[in-house]
C-alpha cells in the first residue's frame, strides 16, 4: 500500500468490473473506500482483500434506484472516516435492442439505474460537499453516447443525459468547491452485456468485448488520475477505449 492519496471515496457498482477495479486501485494508492452494490458477498470479499493488503474499506448494500440507499452510503463515509471527498457513480445496466422492440421495462431499468441513480448520488452527496467546501463527482458514462449505433438508443440516451447533467452541474459550480468528471469507456472486459436478453445480441456483444476489450484496470487508472489532480484542476471528460475500436 502507498499512502499518497488521502481521499475518502464512495463507489457504486463496486462488486465487479470497473467499480471493483477502481476500489482496488484507489485503495492501493491510500484512499479509504466505501463500497456500494447489491451483491454484498462480492463486496465483502473485495473489502477483505483490501484490508489484508493494509487498506481501508467499508461495505454497504446499495441499490442506486433507492434514494435512501445513496444517503446511507454518504452517511457511512462521513460517520466512518469524517468526510466524503469523491463519489464515483459507476453502477449501470445495458439492455441492447432496437427501439421498435418497445421493451419499455428495459428502458425503465436503464433510466432508473443509469440516470436516476446518478441523480440520487448527487442529491445525497452535494450538501456534504458544500458543507465541507470541496467535493468531486465522477461518473462512468460510455463511448456509446459519442458514437450512436443501432440497438443502443436508450442506453446511449441515458449516458448522454448524465454527461449533460454533469456539464450543467460544472457550470453551476464554478466557485471552486465542486469538481465533476465524466469517464467514457469503450469496450471494457466487464459483465455489462451479460444480461442482454436476446441470445444473439448477447453473444455478439460478448465476442466484441473478448476480442477488443481492455482491462477494467485501465479505466480505474484514468479515474485515479482525475481524482489525484490538485483541487484547482478539473478533468472534465476522459475517453478511454481500445486502440483497435472503431
Amino acid at each position: 500500500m502507498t499512502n499518497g492519496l488521502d481521499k475518502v471515496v464512495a463507489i457504486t457498482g463496486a462488486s465487479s468490473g470497473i467499480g471493483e477495479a477502481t476500489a482496488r486501485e484507489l485503495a492501493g494508492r491510500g484512499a479509504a473506500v466505501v463500497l456500494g452494490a447489491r451483491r454484498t458477498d462480492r463486496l465483502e470479499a473485495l473489502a477483505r482483500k483490501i484490508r489484508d493488503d493494509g487498506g481501508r474499506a467499508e461495505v454497504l448494500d446499495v441499490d442506486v434506484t433507492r434514494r435512501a440507499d445513496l444517503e446511507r452510503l454518504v452517511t457511512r463515509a462521513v460517520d466512518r472516516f469524517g468526510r466524503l471527498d469523491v463519489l464515483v457513480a459507476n453502477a449501470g445496466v445495458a439492455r441492447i435492442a432496437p427501439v421498435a422492440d418497445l421493451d419499455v421495462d428495459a428502458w425503465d431499468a436503464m433510466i432508473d439505474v443509469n440516470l436516476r441513480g446518478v441523480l440520487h448520488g448527487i442529491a445525497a452527496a452535494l450538501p456534504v460537499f458544500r458543507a465541507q467546501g470541496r467535493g468531486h463527482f465522477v461518473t462512468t458514462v460510455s463511448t456509446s453516447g459519442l458514437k450512436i449505433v443501432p440497438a443502443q438508443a436508450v442506453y446511449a440516451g441515458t449516458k448522454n443525459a448524465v454527461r449533460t447533467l454533469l456539464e450543467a452541474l460544472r457550470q453551476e459550480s464554478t466557485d471552486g468547491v465542486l469538481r465533476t468528471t465524466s469517464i467514457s469507456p469503450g469496450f471494457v472486459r466487464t459483465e455489462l452485456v451479460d444480461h442482454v436478453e436476446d441470445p444473439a445480441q448477447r453473444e455478439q456483444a460478448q465476442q466484441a468485448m473478448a476480442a477488443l476489450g481492455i482491462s477494467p484496470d485501465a479505466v480505474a487508472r484514468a479515474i485515479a488520475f482525475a481524482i489525484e489532480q490538485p483541487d484547482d484542476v478539473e478533468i472534465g471528460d476522459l475517453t478511454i477505449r481500445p486502440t483497435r475500436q472503431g
Side-chain angles (χ1 to χ4, degrees):
M1 283 287 167
T2 60
N3 296 311
L5 187 59
D6 183 23
K7 300 279 188 180
V8 178
V9 184
I11 305 169
T12 67
S15 60
S16 65
I18 292 171
E20 178 185 356
T22 300
R24 288 189 282 102
E25 181 72 25
L26 297 181
R29 296 182 185 219
V33 293
V34 184
L35 312 176
R38 291 176 296 177
R39 295 179 292 185
T40 52
D41 56 335
R42 291 194 179 191
L43 290 184
E44 293 287 359
L46 174 58
R48 281 195 301 271
K49 180 65 168 64
I50 290 172
R51 292 171 189 144
D52 288 347
D53 289 340
R56 298 170 292 166
E58 291 286 316
V59 166
L60 201 64
D61 179 7
V62 170
D63 179 344
V64 298
T65 67
R66 298 196 295 253
R67 181 179 174 183
D69 282 12
L70 273 300
E71 292 171 346
R72 289 192 302 111
L73 186 70
V74 171
T75 298
R76 174 69 63 87
V78 174
D79 287 349
R80 179 66 179 82
F81 300 110
R83 68 184 194 276
L84 175 65
D85 298 305
V86 185
L87 175 62
V88 180
N90 170 72
V93 296
R95 301 290 185 264
I96 299 173
V99 174
D101 282 3
L102 301 180
D103 190 351
V104 178
D105 289 340
W107 299 352
D108 287 344
M110 287 185 282
I111 292 168
D112 285 344
V113 175
N114 299 350
L115 176 56
R116 201 184 309 278
V118 174
L119 286 166
H120 287 165
I122 291 172
L126 187 56
V128 172
F129 289 166
R130 285 289 174 196
Q132 293 174 166
R134 73 174 190 175
H136 192 170
F137 286 113
V138 179
T139 62
T140 306
V141 282
S142 175
T143 56
S144 293
L146 301 175
K147 180 181 179 180
I148 309 302
V149 296
Q152 295 185 26
V154 178
Y155 176 70
T158 62
K159 294 300 186 177
N160 276 338
V162 171
R163 198 188 315 274
T164 299
L165 170 65
L166 256 69
E167 172 57 17
L169 183 58
R170 183 195 70 80
Q171 293 188 32
E172 294 171 2
S173 309
T174 56
D175 55 1
V177 171
L178 187 67
R179 296 191 293 173
T180 67
T181 301
S182 296
I183 306 284
S184 295
F187 283 114
V188 181
R189 295 191 299 273
T190 71
E191 302 172 2
L192 184 66
V193 298
D194 290 354
H195 304 290
V196 173
E197 291 188 1
D198 182 89
Q201 289 179 334
R202 182 172 62 249
E203 182 178 1
Q204 182 180 22
Q206 289 171 333
Q207 288 177 349
M209 278 192 174
L212 291 175
I214 56 177
S215 168
D217 295 341
V219 184
R221 290 193 297 270
I223 291 173
F225 170 75
I227 290 173
E228 286 181 329
Q229 299 306 303
D231 287 344
D232 63 342
V233 176
E234 181 177 59
I235 306 296
D237 291 278
L238 275 174
T239 300
I240 177 169
R241 59 166 69 91
T243 54
R244 296 187 296 122
Q245 181 176 336

